[in-house]
Every structure is written in structure tokens, then in C-alpha cells.
Amino acid sequence: MERVDIHPTHQHGQFKLRVGRPLPFGATLVPGGVNFSIFSSVATGCILVLFERHALQPMAEIPFPDEFRIGNVFAMIVFGLDYENIEYGYRIDGPYDPPAGHWCNPSQIVMDPYAKVIGGRDVWGKTPNWDDPYPHRARLAFDDFDWENDRPLEIPPEDQIIYEMHVRSFTRHPSAGVKHPGTFAGIIEKIPYLKELGITSIELMPIYEFDEFENSRPSPVTGETLYNYWGYSTVGFFAPKAGYAATGKFGMQVDEVKNLIKQLHKHGIEVILDVVFNHTAEGNEKGPVISFRGIDNKTYYMLTPEGYYFNFSGCGNTLNCNNPIVRNIVLDCLRYWAAEYHIDGFRFDLASILGRDPWGAPLANPPLLESLAFDPILAHCKLIAEAWDAGGLYQVGTFPAFGRWAEWNGKYRDTVRRFLKGDGGMVGDMAQRLQGSPDLYARAGRGPATSINFITAHDGFTLYDLVSYNVKHNEANGENNNDGSNDNESWNCGVEGETDDPGIIALRQRQMRNAIAMLLVSQGVPMILMGDEVGRTQYGNNNTYCHDNELNWLDWNLLQKNADLFQFVKHCIAFRRAHPVLRHREHFRNHDYMGSGYPDISWHGTQAWHADWSASSRTLAFMLCGKHAKNGSTPDDFIYVAMNMYWEALWFELPRLPVGLQWHVFANTGVAAPGDSCKPGQEPPLADQKGLLLGDRSVTILIGR
Amino acid sequence: MAFSTTITTAGDTATITLSGELDASSAPQFKAEVEQAASQGAKKLVLMMQDLEYMASAGLRVLIFAKQKMGADTDIYLVGTQELVKETIEKTGFDQSVYMVDTYDD
């Protein structure tokens, strides 16, 4: 029997039409045609605008007949479209009254907020046609990708090791030696590198379509173009960035991204997306009308009583995330990426904004965060909050988690940085950070993996710069060095910036290793910034958001230059992966619940069993009893970690092991490479089982077996 | 160059020769050939690609259609694919679903 519901009932010019289905929103392929559905609570009329791909002027404009509107949704099926070759937008008729919050203007063509593919910025850095009446063009996507039984990996959260990276920066440098530099396809060629390093998950800085030409300008320093390079400014939440795809010029970015994810999954590597729902690329009232503003400004944005934009994001506008309509688009978006792209998790930029009510006040029980936590499709996705916003809300330790949310632990970063540079008064705090910050999370019943531990991230200094600069050097950004954080807790080891002094170079190398060692023996989830494993520098720039150049690109020559640092990082990662006692699912109890004769964790100092908790102390050691690993379910070795951040060498007395076991040395940053670490499993025995001399500012990791 | 295809069938092998540019306007013609091959119960699809100069998204969609229409147990061979077309197929991952070969002999 032939279906009746695929027959047109209406006609507009050459186009045959039928009343559409209001859900799902967006443009969906249906038998014989395309279903277009768009919501606006203020529109009095709506016109579908169709273009042939790349054509400047529309090929057709089809008004929605009145009877095609259900509630506040315009829905229409258009039959017989050449769906490979069309681009579409809308004209929204309705009130234009900015002080009252309304920006409808039918002379503008606006983009579908649910656009799955967006054309207009197809090739990275290609100057746009500024006369294009519709610069960001919605296109249709297909869901026929051959996933070959792939599904998200669902790695247990405590077992993750995250690598934060930028799609373009990772392979754009000529030294990357890939066929398609700076693209999703380029990452595929570097999978062997990621495997060798040993990380379990990559976290991609924003890949939703953004406009690299937003606020683009010539650099006052070099004259080269400064871009919106990082892309924390979304144009469309459902579309991958075309300019990051080698196939973007053919409009095949969807397939390229899916292929990347499939290949990574095949090699056991998860993909986490850094998503930006706190604001959009439309900016404040001076910004462009792209989509939301022209469709339903008052619904999508938080507005002051005078009709201006609240700016809790520091980027001009704030998405009205706890409006039920906006909540749904966020939910739809994440479900789409989880289901259609097999994404393993999401990191939410300035997530505290997602917990504000439509007037900006923090909510006790934010419905959006709750919906995400309990969503059936997102049930096994990692949800990671950047638990603060630019409006002053700081929720590290108090982010409304609903048992699901993890947090970027800003306190971890600050504590470890201060301890690392030798500040006094940090030992007590440091003990908390090493345990997965139970002081922040245990009371609420949140486990160690709640804490995403990081010392460096894209925001701020790289690890090399953290030990090479006392202050930021952001002149290249053209903002008189006023941008970027001043609160870096960094130390240059004696000279600001590059130096030939071998003593300082050696100290910096040691400090980087100290940081990596602390990060990888901490309970929680370690996150490594792209390039830190090879000593990448941004020459003291701690806010490189606008640079499409060597300030951001990973220089693969560093892999040879700093081969021994890479080896150290690789060993530390492998060590963590080899030892479940470093990856507890629950917080330590600080007593012996396995009858092993040792508590799960014990604290030491220069004297065994006596940590020095005084304010002047710069030393700390701890021992983990492997019998307690993962609550005793996965027996492991003993691990002892001693940290001497004092400026002189100190003798550390060792706790005694059970009869028959011996201490072996996995790592000692006080020893020159390659003796600073060894391959896990091949640790040589320690000569003196009673103690060891720890050089100034160094870390030693022992294993008892 | 204008797009053209020819199809020949021998036993359970269907061979389609493509030339010119496979884009949105020519894809339906290619798709019809694939459907014909499928309806004749072909178990092996050989696509002679030496003279295919360009392939747009629509072309890739037909390849995916062919794979899914003819079933997982049907082997698809892409023969002598030109560099530009080959790159597109590789970057989008379709190369893992087919055999890409320089020449094809029965």
C-alpha cells in the first residue's frame, strides 16, 4: 500500500507542500521531501528561504500558510527538493522593539538554530564575502554513516586520562608532517602518537561551527590577522566546524568528524567535547543577527529590564539556559551529539551560568543541570563542569551535581602550582588535592573522579611557561597586556623567559617533571594540556585565543628536542594505568579496612609516619597500600611518593614494608634523564631500603613489591 | 566533463564504469545503476573509477547507499580511484567499508 501522508496538499509556485511535523525541530528528511520546523514565541509570520548551494540570492521563498502553525511552531514539508544542493534560512516577521527585547526583522535571513550542517565558513581563514545577505547557511545532514558497530567507550571515569587539545593547533604546524594539516583528518594520522603517550580521552576545544572572523583584526604587532581562533563563540550548536575538516569545502565535515571518532574509538580513545552554552556568537546589541536574536531574542537571551544583554559570560550576551525552551535545545543538542556522533562526554564552558535563573540569580536546584544529569540518552556520557562563570559565581566543590557532574578543579590547579614553586603553608591543602579533594567532594557523597585535576589548560600558561615566566606576556594579543589572568602562581626559576643558563634549564626540566608526577599520582582524573608532554611554549602568553600561528600550533620538533621529557610523561601515564591503587573509585578512609596492617593511605615526611604539617613545611610524602586498591577488589603494590619542594636536598626515612617486599624506584626527578624514570614493571630495587636523599625541588616515586 | 556510467553484469559481479564529475546532479543516475545491480542480485560490485575526476557529497552518499542497499556481505571494489576522489573517500572513512584497489581482475 502506498502511504497517503507523503502526498502534497498545498502548492507554492513549483513547490508542493504539506503541513509539517512540529517535532523534531530543524530540517529533517522525510519520504519525498524535507520537514522544516522552527519555533518562535513572537513571530507573526515566517518564510522559508531556499538557496542553491553558494548562490548569493535565494532561489525561492515559501511563506508558511497560517494553517501550518501549531502553537508557536511553524512546520512544513516541502516535496521534491534537491536536498544535496540546497541551503535554507528563514525570514521572521514580528515585533522589532529592542528596548522591549524584540528583534524580529523580515528583511534579514536568519539561520535555523537546529542546523546540522552550516556552510559559509567552509575553508578555514578564507575571507568571507561580506556582502552575502546570509553568511551562515543551514544545510541538510544525513545519518547514513557506517559506524560498523561502534559505540561510545564508557571508560570508567576514574580510569580516564584526558588530553585537552585544539583541533587545528594539534597538526597545523608544518612539523606535524600530516597530509591534511589542522583538520579532523589530521588527528587520525596522529592516533599512534596519542596511543604511545597513553591517554584515554581527548577533549576537543570547541568544534561547533563558529566564525573565525568574529572580531578578526590585524595584529598591531605583526600585522597578521588575529582570529577568533579558539572558537568559544558558537554559531550553531548542532553543526561541526567546517573549517576544521579537510572535506569542509565539499560539505562533508559530518562524515569526517564521525570517521575521526570511529577511528579513535577503535584505538580505545574517547572523545570529549568542550561545549559552549553560556553565550553565542551574536554578542551584545552591537553584534550581528545570525539566528536566535532574530527569531526570539527574549526567549534565548537574558535581558536587562531595558532590553540590554546580561553579560555573565564576559562575551557580550548570556544564553537564557533555564528558560524551558532553551533548556530543551541544549538537551536536544547533547542528545544529538551523543547519539549521532557517539561522543563520550562533554565539558561545559563556564557551566555555572547553566545554573542561573532567567534574571541571573543562581538557582539551588537548576533544572537544566538536573535534566542533563538524569537524561536517558546521556546516561553514560561524562558531564564535566567548568564550575565558575565570568559573573563571579565560583562553584568548585558546590556545583549542583545530582550525583553525575564532575568539575574542573580550579583549587587543584592553584594548590599544586603554589606547592610546586615552594610556597609555605600548602602541605595540608596539598594532601587534600592528592586524595581527590575529599574536602570539597566527600561530604556530598561525590567520589574522587568528580575532580578533574589539572595544572595547566588552554586558559593560562603552558607547563613550560609556568616554570619560565613570573608574569604574562600577552602583547601579541593587541590589548596592551590587559587581557588574560594575572593570577598565575608561576615561577620563572630565576630568569624571565628564554635563557642559556644550564642550571635554570635543568631546574625548569625538573619542575615540569615534578608537576607531571604530582598530577599522575593524584586521585581523580588527570588532564594534560596538549604539548605539555614535550615542553610546548607560548612565550609567556597566557591567553592565546586569537593566534593562528606558532603561539598555538604544536611544534612537533619538540618531540625530538624534549624527548626525555616526553619519555618521563609517557612513563608516568603508563605507571598510573598499571596501578589501580592510583585510581580509586571512592575516597580513602585513612584506616586499614583490609587487615593488611597498613591504612589505605598514610602520610609521611622526612621521618616515616610523621608528616610535617607546619606552615614552613615544603615536604610531603604519602604511601598507598595496594591491598586496598579499588576497595580491595584489585590488589596492587605499595606506592610511596615523596615530594621535596624545599630548596635543599633532604633525607627521607622510608616506611617499612611487610616482610618479603622491597622498595623499587619508578621515578626520581632529581636524577638526570634518562635515569629520572623507568618503564613500569622494570623498576630497579632501591639500594638503601631505609631511606633516600631527595634532591632540592624533586619528587620520587617508589613501588613496594 | 559530463558524467556518464555504463554497467555490465557477469555472473554475480556487476561492474559500473564512472567518468566525469559525480555531483548532486549526476548522483541519481549513478544511484539508478546501483539499484539495477542490486535488483539483479549482484554479490560483488566493481566500480571502475579511473576516469572519475570529482566526487561531491552526493556521490559519497550513493556509495554509502550502495553498501547499505546491497548488504554487508556484498564486496565493493573501487578500482583505480583518482587522488582527489580517493582523498575524499579516505577522509570521510568510507575506505574502510570497501576495497580500494589499483586494478581489478576476476
Side-chain angles (χ1 to χ4, degrees), chain A residues 82 84-85 142 144-146 148 179-180 185 246-247 250 252 255-256 259 262-263 266, chain B residues 24 54-58 60-61 64 67-68 83-84 87-88 90-93 96-97:
Chain A
D82 176 8
E84 285 277 355
N85 216 13
F142 308 90
D144 54 6
F145 183 76
D146 184 3
E148 293 184 294
K179 204 164 171 190
H180 307 289
T247 56
F250 304 130
M252 291 188 227
D255 294 272
E256 191 173 322
N259 185 43
K262 186 167 100 174
Q263 298 307 321
K266 268 189 187 163
Chain B
Y54 169 78
M55 190 181 68
S57 165
L60 182 73
R61 301 261 86 81
I64 294 170
K67 183 71 191 168
Q68 296 183 4
E83 195 55 27
L84 182 70
E87 276 192 15
T88 306
E90 284 171 354
K91 283 176 285 195
T92 51
Q96 298 137 44
S97 302

Short mmCIF file of all heavy atoms in Angstrom, two decimals, chain A residues 82 84-85 142 144-146 148 179-180 185 246-247 250 252 255-256 259 262-263 266, chain B residues 24 54-58 60-61 64 67-68 83-84 87-88 90-93 96-97:
data_model
loop_
_atom_site.label_atom_id
_atom_site.label_comp_id
_atom_site.label_asym_id
_atom_site.label_seq_id
_atom_site.Cartn_x
_atom_site.Cartn_y
_atom_site.Cartn_z
N ASP A 82 16.01 19.20 -4.07
CA ASP A 82 17.32 18.60 -4.31
C ASP A 82 18.13 18.78 -3.02
O ASP A 82 18.92 19.69 -2.89
CB ASP A 82 17.97 19.33 -5.50
CG ASP A 82 19.38 18.82 -5.75
OD1 ASP A 82 19.77 17.83 -5.11
OD2 ASP A 82 20.07 19.43 -6.58
N GLU A 84 20.58 17.58 -1.55
CA GLU A 84 22.05 17.64 -1.51
C GLU A 84 22.54 19.06 -1.77
O GLU A 84 23.66 19.39 -1.44
CB GLU A 84 22.63 16.75 -2.61
CG GLU A 84 22.56 15.27 -2.33
CD GLU A 84 23.69 14.80 -1.44
OE1 GLU A 84 24.58 15.60 -1.12
OE2 GLU A 84 23.65 13.62 -1.05
N ASN A 85 21.73 19.81 -2.41
CA ASN A 85 22.25 21.03 -3.03
C ASN A 85 21.60 22.30 -2.52
O ASN A 85 21.79 23.37 -3.09
CB ASN A 85 22.01 20.91 -4.55
CG ASN A 85 23.14 21.54 -5.33
OD1 ASN A 85 24.20 21.84 -4.78
ND2 ASN A 85 22.90 21.76 -6.60
N PHE A 142 22.91 14.00 6.76
CA PHE A 142 22.43 12.64 6.52
C PHE A 142 22.94 11.75 7.64
O PHE A 142 24.03 11.95 8.15
CB PHE A 142 22.95 12.15 5.17
CG PHE A 142 22.63 13.12 4.08
CD1 PHE A 142 23.51 14.14 3.75
CD2 PHE A 142 21.42 13.04 3.41
CE1 PHE A 142 23.20 15.06 2.78
CE2 PHE A 142 21.11 13.96 2.43
CZ PHE A 142 22.00 14.97 2.12
N ASP A 144 23.53 8.45 7.41
CA ASP A 144 23.80 7.14 6.81
C ASP A 144 25.23 6.68 7.03
O ASP A 144 25.71 5.77 6.36
CB ASP A 144 23.50 7.20 5.30
CG ASP A 144 24.26 8.33 4.60
OD1 ASP A 144 25.09 9.00 5.26
OD2 ASP A 144 24.02 8.56 3.40
N PHE A 145 25.95 7.32 7.97
CA PHE A 145 27.34 6.95 8.19
C PHE A 145 27.45 5.49 8.66
O PHE A 145 26.62 5.03 9.44
CB PHE A 145 27.96 7.88 9.23
CG PHE A 145 29.42 7.64 9.48
CD1 PHE A 145 30.37 8.06 8.56
CD2 PHE A 145 29.85 6.96 10.62
CE1 PHE A 145 31.72 7.82 8.78
CE2 PHE A 145 31.19 6.73 10.84
CZ PHE A 145 32.14 7.15 9.92
N ASP A 146 28.45 4.80 8.16
CA ASP A 146 28.64 3.40 8.52
C ASP A 146 29.50 3.31 9.78
O ASP A 146 30.73 3.36 9.72
CB ASP A 146 29.31 2.66 7.36
CG ASP A 146 29.45 1.17 7.66
OD1 ASP A 146 28.97 0.73 8.72
OD2 ASP A 146 30.03 0.46 6.82
N GLU A 148 29.86 0.74 11.75
CA GLU A 148 30.46 -0.59 11.97
C GLU A 148 30.47 -0.99 13.44
O GLU A 148 31.52 -1.29 14.01
CB GLU A 148 31.92 -0.60 11.51
CG GLU A 148 32.13 -0.46 10.04
CD GLU A 148 33.61 -0.59 9.72
OE1 GLU A 148 34.40 0.28 10.14
OE2 GLU A 148 33.96 -1.56 9.06
N LYS A 179 49.13 14.78 6.15
CA LYS A 179 48.64 15.09 4.81
C LYS A 179 47.64 16.24 4.84
O LYS A 179 47.58 17.04 3.91
CB LYS A 179 47.96 13.83 4.26
CG LYS A 179 47.88 13.75 2.76
CD LYS A 179 47.56 12.30 2.37
CE LYS A 179 47.25 12.18 0.90
NZ LYS A 179 46.72 10.83 0.59
N HIS A 180 46.86 16.31 5.89
CA HIS A 180 45.82 17.34 5.97
C HIS A 180 46.00 18.14 7.25
O HIS A 180 45.31 17.91 8.24
CB HIS A 180 44.44 16.69 5.93
CG HIS A 180 44.26 15.78 4.77
ND1 HIS A 180 44.15 16.24 3.49
CD2 HIS A 180 44.23 14.43 4.70
CE1 HIS A 180 44.04 15.21 2.66
NE2 HIS A 180 44.09 14.11 3.37
N ALA A 185 40.83 15.13 9.98
CA ALA A 185 41.55 14.04 9.31
C ALA A 185 43.01 13.99 9.77
O ALA A 185 43.60 12.92 9.88
CB ALA A 185 41.47 14.20 7.80
N ALA A 246 39.05 18.65 6.45
CA ALA A 246 39.70 18.66 5.13
C ALA A 246 38.65 18.60 4.03
O ALA A 246 38.87 19.07 2.92
CB ALA A 246 40.67 17.48 5.02
N THR A 247 37.51 18.03 4.34
CA THR A 247 36.44 17.91 3.35
C THR A 247 35.40 19.01 3.49
O THR A 247 34.34 18.94 2.87
CB THR A 247 35.71 16.55 3.51
OG1 THR A 247 35.25 16.45 4.86
CG2 THR A 247 36.64 15.39 3.21
N PHE A 250 33.86 20.46 0.51
CA PHE A 250 32.86 19.64 -0.16
C PHE A 250 31.61 19.44 0.70
O PHE A 250 30.73 18.68 0.35
CB PHE A 250 33.43 18.26 -0.51
CG PHE A 250 34.69 18.30 -1.34
CD1 PHE A 250 35.81 17.59 -0.96
CD2 PHE A 250 34.74 19.07 -2.49
CE1 PHE A 250 36.96 17.63 -1.72
CE2 PHE A 250 35.90 19.10 -3.26
CZ PHE A 250 37.02 18.39 -2.87
N MET A 252 31.45 17.88 3.56
CA MET A 252 31.38 16.53 4.13
C MET A 252 31.95 16.46 5.53
O MET A 252 32.41 15.40 5.98
CB MET A 252 32.12 15.56 3.22
CG MET A 252 31.41 15.36 1.90
SD MET A 252 32.18 14.04 0.98
CE MET A 252 32.32 14.79 -0.61
N ASP A 255 30.75 13.59 7.98
CA ASP A 255 31.36 12.27 7.81
C ASP A 255 32.80 12.26 8.35
O ASP A 255 33.23 11.29 8.95
CB ASP A 255 31.37 11.89 6.33
CG ASP A 255 29.97 11.70 5.80
OD1 ASP A 255 29.45 10.59 5.89
OD2 ASP A 255 29.38 12.69 5.33
N GLU A 256 33.50 13.36 8.14
CA GLU A 256 34.90 13.40 8.57
C GLU A 256 34.99 13.34 10.10
O GLU A 256 35.85 12.64 10.65
CB GLU A 256 35.59 14.65 8.02
CG GLU A 256 37.10 14.60 8.22
CD GLU A 256 37.83 15.76 7.54
OE1 GLU A 256 37.44 16.15 6.42
OE2 GLU A 256 38.80 16.27 8.13
N ASN A 259 34.12 9.86 11.24
CA ASN A 259 35.22 8.95 10.96
C ASN A 259 36.34 9.09 11.99
O ASN A 259 36.90 8.11 12.47
CB ASN A 259 35.76 9.19 9.55
CG ASN A 259 36.82 8.19 9.17
OD1 ASN A 259 36.68 7.00 9.43
ND2 ASN A 259 37.90 8.66 8.58
N LYS A 262 35.17 7.37 15.11
CA LYS A 262 35.20 5.91 14.93
C LYS A 262 36.63 5.38 15.04
O LYS A 262 36.88 4.37 15.70
CB LYS A 262 34.59 5.56 13.57
CG LYS A 262 34.45 4.08 13.32
CD LYS A 262 33.56 3.79 12.11
CE LYS A 262 34.39 3.48 10.90
NZ LYS A 262 33.56 3.05 9.75
N GLN A 263 37.56 6.08 14.41
CA GLN A 263 38.96 5.62 14.44
C GLN A 263 39.53 5.72 15.86
O GLN A 263 40.25 4.82 16.30
CB GLN A 263 39.82 6.45 13.49
CG GLN A 263 39.43 6.34 12.03
CD GLN A 263 39.35 4.90 11.57
OE1 GLN A 263 40.17 4.07 11.93
NE2 GLN A 263 38.33 4.57 10.81
N LYS A 266 38.21 2.94 17.92
CA LYS A 266 38.86 1.67 17.57
C LYS A 266 40.16 1.49 18.34
O LYS A 266 40.59 0.38 18.60
CB LYS A 266 39.17 1.63 16.07
CG LYS A 266 38.08 1.01 15.24
CD LYS A 266 38.53 0.79 13.80
CE LYS A 266 37.33 0.34 12.96
NZ LYS A 266 37.57 0.49 11.52
N ALA B 24 25.74 16.41 -7.28
CA ALA B 24 24.33 16.27 -6.93
C ALA B 24 23.46 16.02 -8.17
O ALA B 24 22.48 15.28 -8.11
CB ALA B 24 23.85 17.52 -6.20
N TYR B 54 35.92 13.90 -10.03
CA TYR B 54 35.48 14.66 -8.86
C TYR B 54 34.29 13.95 -8.24
O TYR B 54 33.47 13.37 -8.95
CB TYR B 54 35.09 16.09 -9.31
CG TYR B 54 34.37 16.90 -8.26
CD1 TYR B 54 35.06 17.50 -7.21
CD2 TYR B 54 32.98 17.05 -8.33
CE1 TYR B 54 34.39 18.23 -6.25
CE2 TYR B 54 32.31 17.78 -7.37
CZ TYR B 54 33.01 18.37 -6.33
OH TYR B 54 32.35 19.09 -5.38
N MET B 55 34.23 14.00 -6.94
CA MET B 55 33.07 13.42 -6.27
C MET B 55 32.61 14.34 -5.14
O MET B 55 33.37 14.63 -4.22
CB MET B 55 33.41 12.05 -5.71
CG MET B 55 32.17 11.32 -5.22
SD MET B 55 32.57 9.71 -4.52
CE MET B 55 33.43 10.21 -3.08
N ALA B 56 31.39 14.80 -5.23
CA ALA B 56 30.82 15.64 -4.18
C ALA B 56 30.13 14.78 -3.14
O ALA B 56 30.05 13.56 -3.28
CB ALA B 56 29.85 16.64 -4.79
N SER B 57 29.62 15.43 -2.14
CA SER B 57 28.91 14.75 -1.05
C SER B 57 27.85 13.79 -1.59
O SER B 57 27.71 12.68 -1.13
CB SER B 57 28.28 15.81 -0.15
OG SER B 57 27.33 15.24 0.69
N ALA B 58 27.14 14.23 -2.63
CA ALA B 58 26.07 13.40 -3.18
C ALA B 58 26.62 12.07 -3.68
O ALA B 58 25.97 11.02 -3.54
CB ALA B 58 25.37 14.15 -4.31
N LEU B 60 29.31 10.50 -2.54
CA LEU B 60 29.61 9.67 -1.37
C LEU B 60 28.34 9.03 -0.83
O LEU B 60 28.34 7.87 -0.43
CB LEU B 60 30.28 10.52 -0.29
CG LEU B 60 30.67 9.74 0.96
CD1 LEU B 60 31.89 8.86 0.68
CD2 LEU B 60 30.96 10.68 2.12
N ARG B 61 27.28 9.83 -0.82
CA ARG B 61 26.01 9.30 -0.31
C ARG B 61 25.56 8.09 -1.12
O ARG B 61 25.02 7.14 -0.57
CB ARG B 61 24.92 10.39 -0.36
CG ARG B 61 25.26 11.64 0.44
CD ARG B 61 24.59 11.65 1.81
NE ARG B 61 25.36 10.97 2.82
CZ ARG B 61 26.39 11.49 3.48
NH1 ARG B 61 26.80 12.71 3.27
NH2 ARG B 61 27.00 10.78 4.39
N ILE B 64 27.58 5.07 -0.08
CA ILE B 64 27.07 4.57 1.20
C ILE B 64 25.76 3.82 0.98
O ILE B 64 25.53 2.75 1.53
CB ILE B 64 26.89 5.74 2.20
CG1 ILE B 64 28.26 6.35 2.55
CG2 ILE B 64 26.19 5.26 3.46
CD1 ILE B 64 28.19 7.64 3.34
N LYS B 67 26.48 0.38 -0.41
CA LYS B 67 26.94 -0.55 0.62
C LYS B 67 25.77 -1.04 1.46
O LYS B 67 25.65 -2.22 1.77
CB LYS B 67 27.98 0.16 1.51
CG LYS B 67 28.60 -0.70 2.57
CD LYS B 67 29.55 -1.73 1.99
CE LYS B 67 29.97 -2.76 3.03
NZ LYS B 67 30.64 -3.91 2.43
N GLN B 68 24.89 -0.11 1.82
CA GLN B 68 23.80 -0.48 2.71
C GLN B 68 22.68 -1.20 1.97
O GLN B 68 22.03 -2.09 2.51
CB GLN B 68 23.31 0.75 3.47
CG GLN B 68 24.44 1.27 4.38
CD GLN B 68 24.07 2.45 5.27
OE1 GLN B 68 22.92 2.88 5.29
NE2 GLN B 68 25.05 2.98 5.98
N GLU B 83 43.37 10.53 -7.25
CA GLU B 83 43.82 11.03 -5.96
C GLU B 83 42.79 11.89 -5.24
O GLU B 83 42.51 11.71 -4.06
CB GLU B 83 45.14 11.79 -6.14
CG GLU B 83 45.89 12.05 -4.84
CD GLU B 83 46.20 10.81 -4.01
OE1 GLU B 83 46.32 9.72 -4.59
OE2 GLU B 83 46.30 10.94 -2.77
N LEU B 84 42.21 12.85 -5.95
CA LEU B 84 41.26 13.77 -5.31
C LEU B 84 40.04 13.03 -4.76
O LEU B 84 39.60 13.25 -3.63
CB LEU B 84 40.82 14.85 -6.32
CG LEU B 84 39.87 15.90 -5.78
CD1 LEU B 84 40.57 16.83 -4.80
CD2 LEU B 84 39.27 16.73 -6.93
N GLU B 87 41.09 10.77 -1.76
CA GLU B 87 41.27 11.52 -0.51
C GLU B 87 39.93 11.77 0.17
O GLU B 87 39.79 11.65 1.37
CB GLU B 87 41.94 12.87 -0.80
CG GLU B 87 43.44 12.77 -0.86
CD GLU B 87 44.09 14.15 -0.84
OE1 GLU B 87 43.40 15.13 -0.49
OE2 GLU B 87 45.27 14.21 -1.19
N THR B 88 38.95 12.16 -0.64
CA THR B 88 37.63 12.42 -0.08
C THR B 88 37.09 11.17 0.59
O THR B 88 36.55 11.21 1.70
CB THR B 88 36.68 12.89 -1.18
OG1 THR B 88 37.27 13.99 -1.85
CG2 THR B 88 35.34 13.30 -0.61
N GLU B 90 38.78 8.66 1.76
CA GLU B 90 39.57 8.30 2.95
C GLU B 90 39.23 9.19 4.14
O GLU B 90 39.06 8.72 5.26
CB GLU B 90 41.07 8.41 2.64
CG GLU B 90 41.57 7.24 1.80
CD GLU B 90 42.99 7.44 1.30
OE1 GLU B 90 43.56 8.55 1.51
OE2 GLU B 90 43.52 6.52 0.69
N LYS B 91 39.15 10.50 3.86
CA LYS B 91 38.93 11.43 4.97
C LYS B 91 37.58 11.22 5.64
O LYS B 91 37.40 11.51 6.81
CB LYS B 91 39.07 12.88 4.48
CG LYS B 91 40.52 13.27 4.30
CD LYS B 91 40.66 14.66 3.73
CE LYS B 91 40.32 14.67 2.26
NZ LYS B 91 40.77 15.90 1.58
N THR B 92 36.62 10.75 4.86
CA THR B 92 35.30 10.53 5.44
C THR B 92 35.15 9.10 5.93
O THR B 92 34.10 8.71 6.41
CB THR B 92 34.21 10.84 4.40
OG1 THR B 92 34.51 10.14 3.19
CG2 THR B 92 34.15 12.32 4.11
N GLY B 93 36.21 8.31 5.79
CA GLY B 93 36.23 6.98 6.40
C GLY B 93 35.58 5.88 5.59
O GLY B 93 35.53 4.74 6.03
N GLN B 96 37.12 2.28 4.62
CA GLN B 96 37.12 1.06 5.43
C GLN B 96 35.97 0.13 5.10
O GLN B 96 35.94 -1.01 5.57
CB GLN B 96 37.05 1.43 6.91
CG GLN B 96 38.24 2.25 7.36
CD GLN B 96 37.79 3.38 8.24
OE1 GLN B 96 36.97 3.18 9.11
NE2 GLN B 96 38.32 4.56 8.00
N SER B 97 35.01 0.64 4.36
CA SER B 97 33.85 -0.20 4.05
C SER B 97 33.99 -0.90 2.71
O SER B 97 33.15 -1.71 2.34
CB SER B 97 32.58 0.66 4.03
OG SER B 97 32.42 1.30 5.28
#
